[in-house]
Amino acid sequence: MWHKGLAMVLMAFFSLAACQPNTFQEGERLYKANCANCHLDDGKGLGALIPPLAGADYLSQNRERLACILRHGLNDTIVVNGVTYAEKMPGVPTLTDIQVANLLNFINNSW
């Protein structure tokens, strides 16, 4: 009887784990909903207006700031791959901490 109960608990645990969304796919969905309009689907940005995310040195040099930038936006001039960008970036204050993490995971692993 104990083994049957243990089996039921394990089955429930693995069933619930399967319900969890794929965090990379969730990050991709969030990127398309919140970022792709400006940074484009391929992360290459919009010329001199919007900086690229694909191959951007800014991402690796400013990892500690990225979550805050996503949530609160950016009003400063930044330099990405030697090019200066001054366009303001709106933040997405409604993102949860997990959504920010999934979004950054997608961005950092896509290009």
Side-chain angles (χ1 to χ4, degrees), residues 3 16 24 40 57 63 66 71 79 83 100:
H3 294 290
L16 287 174
F24 189 79
L40 305 182
D57 59 357
R63 288 198 188 277
L66 299 179
R71 186 161 287 143
V79 177
V83 178
V100 168

Side-chain angles (χ1 to χ4, degrees), residues 48-51 74-79 83-89:
L49 290 177
I50 307 295
L74 186 64
N75 294 319
D76 299 331
T77 299
I78 61 170
V79 177
V83 178
T84 301
Y85 294 89
E87 190 71 26
K88 291 181 180 181
M89 182 186 122

Side-chain angles (χ1 to χ4, degrees), residues 2 24-25 40-41 55 61 65-66 74 83 98 105:
W2 184 82
F24 189 79
Q25 288 174 339
L40 305 182
D41 285 336
Q61 294 169 1
R65 297 186 63 210
L66 299 179
L74 186 64
V83 178
I98 291 172
N105 180 48

Side-chain angles (χ1 to χ4, degrees), residues 4-18:
K4 186 176 180 181
L6 178 61
M8 298 271 297
V9 169
L10 289 174
M11 183 193 255
F13 174 76
F14 289 118
S15 294
L16 287 174

